């Protein structure tokens, strides 16, 4: 790679956005942090500072929560019809679609991810999320409940929005995580304080502009940029927040649970993973190789569902290792804004340091580095796509979430599915898994035996707004997307009337 990382030109809309002063959205107004503090946002491919955003903290969270409370209790939002809510949520999808190219550029610049993927998956997925969730606004209903108590009764349930929601999101899919959080909460009629990750706040701020343009009333969505330890912690422990939704590391997820205990706010968590991709001997090997390589290298491996433990049956092990290494070699590495790039930098220096530490630990524990294993270039946070073979369950690289383009391959020789599942389930996580086979029975029996919230057959990293997504074990609490997510943003009230 050339020493100086070349940054492709930005479109005029993105250039204009970057040139604007960046402020936080509180009560329908763009404001600075009360402290006046800001922090720098960088392009992880060039390490250039591209923007400064407010460093919001507890004082700003207090204002944002108060605005969200007013909007929930007394604002026009509290009286809006479900159909009007549906139209607003839908229109946000339309505005994102209008500005799709700009948002994709912003995401590639801020996070480092390939712009082609950002346009298709991050932006495309966000549009679809708002459109799918819009429909729930008019479909949330309670039930009439037949009861057996003596006398005549009319008993029914109501579904009400849970109230003021705090949402804390990570840096791996900045816009899409905002969409996953905001869309169902808005459809349910909640009001929101959103805290984007410090590394990637820009697309959320652009989304804030679209939220105002769509016509959401003041205070319905508030966006506070800031650090997790200050702004995030203040939101998680706030006594006037009814629910907190968090996506990020398992470690911080546990802090969120503790912080939420003060007022017993509702909590949903999407946390880490160490997902297995299991290749059986009868798999279509070309598909399995391409699919398991993409399972780990997509988004530079910074996916909570990344297929980071690759289990290959002994009889296909060599072919799989060789094939995945070849796939790694085909990836074009470079600035995410280059439309032909498939692998960008990691999001930050901190993240690269973490990943490099894991690579070092893997070597020390005896893993064989078949390809990759090093940082790339001297500018930007690039790490080579890496295949570690001869790994085993005792190794740190196999047990812990690396969140980088590093796959640990293990072989199995069992034909007993329970034994294979035991292998795959040997982790404290349970977010996702993939099974690669042409045998229907093997595929569906494995889907039952794997202890994870999602299982993919002959694919990995699947997603759709209708697909309930979430984790078993330490991968989290609750489900996002699908009809299941609406449970998190509503309370059920039971009403009994003596007739
Ligand atoms: P993280 O610290 O868990 O960050 C996720 C979000 O939580 C960010 O908005 C962060 O704010 C905020 N946060 C941090 N500390 C907080 C606290 N005490 N109270 C409330 N909010 C807090 O993740 P990270 O440091 O960016 O990454 C570390 C590791 O987490 C990764 O290597 C990866 O293993 C895992 N991770 C998982 C996912 C996932 O999708 N499951 C996503 C990202 C990271 P700041 O960004 O401002 O600190
Ligand atoms: Mg952090």
């Amino acid at each position: 790679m050339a020493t100086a990382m070349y940054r492709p030109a930005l479109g005029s809309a993105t250039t204009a956005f970057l040139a604007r002063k960046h402020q936080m959205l509180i009560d329908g107004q763009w404001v600075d942090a009360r402290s006046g503090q800001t922090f720098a946002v960088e392009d992880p491919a060039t390490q250039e500072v591209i923007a400064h955003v407010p460093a919001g903290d507890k004082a700003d969270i207090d204002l944002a929560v108060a605005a969200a409370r007013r909007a929930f209790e007394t604002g026009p939002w509290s009286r809006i019809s479900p159909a009007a809510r549906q139209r607003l949520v839908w229109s946000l999808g339309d505005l994102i679609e209008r500005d799709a190219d700009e948002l994709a550029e912003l995401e590639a610049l801020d996070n480092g991810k390939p712009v082609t993927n950002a346009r298709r998956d991050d932006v495309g997925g966000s549009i679809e999320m708002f459109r799918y969730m819009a429909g729930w606004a008019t479909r949330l209903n309670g039930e009439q409940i037949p009861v057996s108590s003596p006398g005549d009764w009319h008993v029914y349930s109501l579904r009400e929005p849970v109230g003021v929601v705090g949402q804390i999101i990570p840096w791996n899919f900045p816009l899409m995580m905002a969409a996953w959080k905001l869309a169902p909460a808005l459809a349910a009629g909640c009001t929101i304080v959103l805290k984007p990750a410090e590394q990637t706040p820009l697309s959320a701020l652009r989304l804030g502009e679209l939220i105002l343009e769509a016509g959401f009333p003041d205070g319905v969505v508030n966006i506070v940029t800031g650090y997790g330890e200050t702004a995030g912690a203040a939101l998680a422990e706030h006594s006037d927040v009814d629910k907190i939704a968090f996506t990020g590391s398992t470690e911080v997820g546990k802090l969120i649970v503790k912080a939420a205990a003060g007022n017993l706010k509702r909590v949903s968590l999407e946390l880490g993973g160490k997902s297995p991709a299991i290749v059986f001997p009868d798999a279509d090997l070309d598909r399995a190789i391409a699919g398991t390589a993409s399972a780990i290298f997509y988004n530079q491996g910074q996916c909570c569902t990344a297929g980071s433990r690759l289990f290959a049956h002994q009889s296909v092990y060599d072919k799989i290792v060789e094939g995945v290494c070849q796939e790694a070699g085909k990836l074009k590495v470079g600035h995410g804004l280059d439309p032909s790039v498939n692998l960008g930098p990691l999001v930050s220096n901190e993240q690269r340091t973490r990943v490099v530490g894991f690579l070092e630990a893997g070597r020390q524990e005896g893993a064989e580095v078949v390809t990759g294993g090093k940082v790339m270039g001297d500018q930007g946070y690039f790490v080579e796509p890496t295949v570690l073979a001869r790994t085993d369950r005792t190794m740190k690289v196999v047990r812990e979430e690396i969140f980088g383009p590093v796959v640990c391959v293990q072989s199995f020789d069992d034909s007993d599915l329970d034994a294979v599942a035991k292998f795959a389930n040997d982790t404290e996580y349970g977010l996702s898994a993939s099974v690669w086979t042409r045998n229907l029975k093997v595929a569906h029996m494995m889907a039952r035996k794997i202890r994870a919230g999602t299982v993919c057959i002959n694919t990995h990293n699947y997603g759709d707004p209708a697909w309930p997504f979430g984790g078993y074990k330490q991968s989290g609490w609750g489900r996002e997307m699908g009809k299941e997510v609406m449970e998190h943003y509503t309370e059920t009230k039971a009403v009994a009337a003596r007739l």
Side-chain angles (χ1 to χ4, degrees), residues 171 198-199 229 350:
W171 43 256
E198 74 193 67
Q199 297 85 351
E229 295 74 12
E350 190 188 351

Side-chain angles (χ1 to χ4, degrees), residues 414-467:
D414 252 293
S415 53
D416 171 42
L417 296 187
D418 284 310
V420 180
K422 194 169 172 217
F423 217 20
N425 289 334
D426 184 17
T427 165
E428 64 195 25
Y429 296 110
L431 194 57
S432 190
S434 60
V435 179
W436 301 81
T437 176
R438 287 173 162 123
N439 183 316
L440 282 174
K441 178 176 172 183
V442 169
H444 295 290
M445 290 304 288
M446 284 300 294
R448 292 182 189 188
K449 290 175 192 295
I450 285 169
R451 301 263 306 146
T454 58
V455 179
C456 299
I457 296 168
N458 296 325
T459 186
H460 198 104
N461 286 333
Y462 177 76
D464 187 278
W467 140 279

Side-chain angles (χ1 to χ4, degrees), residues 372-404:
K374 297 189 296 296
V375 301
M376 298 175 89
D378 47 20
Q379 193 189 5
Y381 308 125
F382 294 89
V383 172
E384 291 175 339
T386 300
V387 176
L388 301 180
R390 287 199 226 150
T391 59
D392 69 62
R393 61 180 298 280
T394 64
M395 293 178 181
K396 182 178 158 82
V397 285
V398 171
R399 305 211 70 78
E400 296 180 26
E401 182 175 48
I402 299 176
F403 231 58

